[in-house]
Amino acid sequence: MRLLLFTGKGGVGKTTLAAATGATLASHGRRTLVISTDPAHSLADAYGVPLGPEPKEVTRRLDGVQIDSRHLVDAAWEELRRQLRDALAGAGLDALDAEELTVLPGIDELLALTEVRRLAMTKHWHSVVVDCGPTAETLRLLALPEAIAAYLRRLYGWQPWQGSSSRTKRGVASSVAQLGRHLESLRDLLTDHEITSVRLVLTPERVVVAETRRTLTALALRGIKVDGLIANRLMPAPGMWRGGAASWLRARRKQQDEVLAELRGVGMPELTLVEHRAEEPVGLDALADISQQLYRGGDPLAPMGEAKDHGEAAMMHITANPRGGYRLRIAVPLDPGTDVDLARVDDDLAITIDGFRRLVALPRLLRSCAVVGAESDAEGIVVHLGEPEEIR
Ligand SMILES: Nc1ncnc2c1ncn2[C@@H]1O[C@H](COP(=O)(O)OP(=O)(O)OP(=O)(O)O)[C@@H](O)[C@H]1O
Ligand SMILES: [Mg+2]
């Protein structure tokens, strides 16, 4: 099974490209499901067929579904809400607070992701393509399993789903345990590089360059693989045309080319270009045409260009400092001038890059070493640590 997630800023073409990819996978003989998690559903419009909360056939081997987590009343959802409420109530928050917390923004995304996993795990489809919401929501969605797990860990002071239930009431412990296992299963699915990858869609405009870099950094920090960067709505090259319209096109294309050149920087996956069509790409024929530019007849599951591997294992590299202590290198693509903040939280290192925070468990060797300094360059962060103080 493969899981492809499409994300990018609002209106850049996520739905169109996810729909085109799904249709091409099906035409290559793979049973495919395209899922929209964006509350503003337009997947049905892209295919020109009605779709709902249950998978529905679009064409041979291709199904589509639009998840509406806000209106899900299924028992599984109630169960997840109950686990979350009990877990939070057990941590000393009173019932009302806990109830309010379960309707916080973010919970919808957690539910949507749970539904994506449930559908993917039915093994009914070989490929599952997800048309996610805009980048900010997707990042929050992808960060949520880990964020909530870390929050619970901190509230309870131990890994509740692995520890004994003696420190708290049995019912609460079992809810926390279930929720913990559930969050871990979501995180495992998202960070499994054999199964899941993200394709980032952008339009070649100056404002998107910085945002694209930030998104790549945030995804790398979470150990999520990006295997495609797609620049959509590229102006056609006007060639030998003359006249006012041609010079407008030429100027616009020149500007877009400059942005693309800027994007082909360090740590970026290769760019795939899709031209701006005169007509809206709606319906299977128009989508097939888009797909031809995207994949050039090749397998849509093949990586379109991989960012440097920032998997958990590859991300950290420890070297002994000849002057004593250690250096820990954390590889993430960073823009010069990026705002990086580091803090030690117990055995974790809290790394905040441009507002995105991630807890990274310190390797065992370094847990008793004090952080004595840090610096960053385009390749990532280097943390300087002192000598181990005691053997734990
Ligand atoms: N290459 C293209 N050429 C012409 N029109 C395009 C192209 N790609 C997308 N469009 C059109 O642009 C509009 C926005 O595309 P789409 O809905 O796929 O974007 P989106 O990123 O999913 O937007 P949203 O953030 O609102 O969900 C649609 O009307 C779509 O048909
Ligand atoms: Mg969309």
Side-chain angles (χ1 to χ4, degrees):
M1 202 267 295
R2 279 290 313 274
L3 183 59
L4 295 179
L5 309 178
F6 281 78
T7 190
K9 260 173 80 115
V12 291
K14 301 175 289 294
T15 304
T16 305
L17 300 182
T21 302
T24 304
L25 282 165
S27 75
H28 283 204
R30 293 190 167 105
R31 287 200 65 82
T32 303
L33 175 68
V34 182
I35 306 177
S36 162
T37 65
D38 186 352
H41 295 303
S42 54
L43 187 61
D45 300 334
Y47 283 134
V49 295
L51 291 173
E54 293 298 325
K56 190 169 170 292
E57 187 179 88
V58 174
T59 180
R60 203 160 115 78
R61 288 188 292 263
L62 178 67
D63 298 326
V65 61
Q66 303 193 138
I67 297 176
D68 193 348
S69 57
R70 255 169 249 173
H71 296 106
L72 277 164
V73 285
D74 190 274
W77 304 97
E78 285 306 318
E79 173 62 15
L80 185 62
R81 284 201 179 90
R82 187 188 63 73
Q83 287 171 20
L84 194 61
R85 199 180 50 231
D86 289 357
L88 296 170
L93 293 157
D94 70 30
L96 185 65
D97 283 345
E99 192 64 61
E100 280 170 358
L101 275 173
T102 60
V103 296
L104 272 183
I107 300 305
D108 280 350
E109 282 125 4
L110 184 66
L111 294 178
L113 193 55
T114 302
E115 181 68 352
V116 167
R117 180 173 184 274
R118 186 186 72 76
L119 289 165
M121 290 297 145
T122 59
K123 305 266 159 76
H124 187 67
W125 297 277
H126 172 275
S127 308
V128 175
V129 180
V130 186
D131 166 26
C132 299
T135 327
E137 270 106 279
T138 306
L139 285 176
R140 209 168 55 180
L141 185 146
L142 299 181
L144 220 58
E146 185 176 288
I148 297 181
Y151 178 57
L152 290 177
R153 205 158 51 225
R154 227 148 280 291
L155 280 177
Y156 286 90
W158 90 111
Q159 280 222 321
W161 46 97
Q162 284 170 7
S164 82
S165 59
S166 61
R167 287 175 59 184
T168 185
K169 289 181 203 131
R170 285 211 352 243
V172 169
S174 106
S175 283
V176 176
Q178 284 173 17
L179 181 60
R181 273 195 298 274
H182 176 67
L183 296 171
E184 271 179 4
S185 70
L186 293 181
R187 193 200 52 203
D188 290 349
L189 176 67
L190 294 174
T191 55
D192 187 332
H193 292 191
E194 301 292 313
I195 296 180
T196 307
S197 58
V198 169
R199 299 205 168 156
L200 200 56
V201 186
L202 56 100
T203 47
E205 290 154 78
R206 190 133 285 140
V207 285
V208 304
V209 177
E211 177 174 308
T212 302
R213 289 187 170 175
R214 270 200 300 277
T215 307
L216 284 169
T217 305
L219 290 170
L221 257 181
R222 310 226 135 86
I224 294 167
K225 174 166 144 179
V226 176
D227 74 347
L229 191 58
I230 306 162
N232 187 25
R233 298 235 197 94
L234 186 71
M235 288 295 150
M240 303 300 285
W241 303 347
R242 286 165 191 276
S247 69
W248 184 89
L249 264 183
R250 205 167 279 126
R252 191 81 190 84
R253 173 63 190 254
K254 182 165 169 281
Q255 240 184 21
Q256 290 188 329
D257 282 340
E258 283 166 14
V259 175
L260 295 178
E262 219 180 302
L263 271 168
R264 293 193 176 94
V266 233
M268 296 283 146
E270 213 172 289
L271 272 167
T272 303
L273 309 178
V274 177
E275 277 186 4
H276 200 138
R277 302 300 153 105
E279 285 177 29
E280 264 190 77
V282 171
L284 289 170
D285 289 345
L287 292 174
D289 201 38
I290 292 268
S291 239
Q292 182 54 34
Q293 259 202 332
L294 263 180
Y295 304 111
R296 305 194 175 278
D299 182 0
L301 292 180
M304 304 173 74
E306 233 156 304
K308 285 181 195 162
D309 186 8
H310 297 300
E312 198 71 32
M315 206 170 99
M316 292 201 253
H317 187 65
I318 306 171
T319 47
N321 186 340
R323 277 176 266 146
Y326 295 94
R327 279 197 200 112
L328 172 68
R329 172 169 275 285
I330 302 167
V332 280
L334 284 179
D335 241 358
T338 304
D339 200 10
V340 182
D341 188 57
L342 273 182
R344 178 80 182 262
V345 185
D346 303 332
D347 285 342
D348 294 337
L349 209 53
I351 307 172
T352 312
I353 299 178
D354 277 336
F356 291 106
R357 188 162 186 260
R358 159 97 198 257
L359 287 176
V360 176
L362 273 175
R364 188 167 289 277
L365 171 70
L366 303 180
R367 288 189 191 157
S368 65
C369 305
V371 174
V372 293
E375 63 206 21
S376 62
D377 55 29
E379 310 259 285
I381 304 163
V382 180
V383 185
H384 298 275
L385 297 114
E387 292 288 350
E389 275 159 21
E390 62 190 72
I391 304 299
R392 286 201 197 173

